Amino acid sequence: QVQLAESGGGLVQAGGSLRLSCAASGRDFSDNGMAWFRQAPGKERELVAAISSGGTLIYADAVKGRFTISRDKSKNTVDLQMNNLKPEDTAVYYCAARQFGAAAIEKSTRYEYWGQGTQVTVSA
């Protein structure tokens, strides 16, 4: 059974940092695109960052220069380093992985596997 388990969320003051980690189990995602999405209350789920099998990166404009996505194929993990956090970054953050395809994709519908989510709250 494939599982994506996120960790690292929490409460932080504006300007602070958090590092989210996602550990995949049940299959190897080395050849597949992976991503982080987020969903704030009353809003649609949106892409935060994505990484292809080959290392191509995609970032939402709102997080460029502040967030960094990375992956460790040997550990089957993908991380999201978040710096200079802002109150508008408050959301549930989800790890996602594609069943097929190596590319980094913006659309959430292209990701077949999802974690349960981890809450990130940034206070002003």
Side-chain angles (χ1 to χ4, degrees):
Q1 181 179 0
V2 175
Q3 289 187 331
L4 301 179
E6 303 104 335
S7 62
L11 173 64
V12 64
Q13 289 186 334
S17 299
L18 282 175
R19 187 177 184 88
L20 304 184
S21 295
C22 173
S25 60
R27 64 162 282 181
D28 181 3
F29 286 102
S30 297
D31 295 330
N32 304 102
M34 300 186 75
W36 286 93
F37 286 79
R38 67 186 181 187
Q39 187 166 18
K43 295 187 177 181
E44 294 186 354
R45 190 169 298 188
E46 62 178 5
L47 176 76
V48 177
I51 184 168
S52 73
S53 174
T56 300
L57 308 177
I58 295 176
Y59 291 99
D61 288 343
V63 307
K64 283 181 181 177
R66 300 188 297 123
F67 291 12
T68 302
I69 188 172
S70 61
R71 69 189 299 172
D72 187 331
K73 290 184 176 183
S74 68
K75 296 180 180 179
N76 214 18
T77 59
V78 60
D79 291 349
L80 184 69
Q81 177 66 43
M82 306 186 293
N83 298 328
N84 190 21
L85 282 159
K86 303 176 180 181
E88 50 264 43
D89 294 319
T90 295
V92 178
Y93 283 70
Y94 298 91
C95 174
R98 299 185 65 193
Q99 182 176 13
F100 304 110
I105 302 294
E106 293 185 19
K107 292 185 177 181
S108 61
T109 54
R110 301 291 295 275
Y111 294 83
E112 288 79 14
Y113 299 107
W114 292 84
Q116 292 298 308
T118 185
Q119 177 71 45
V120 171
T121 303
V122 184
S123 63

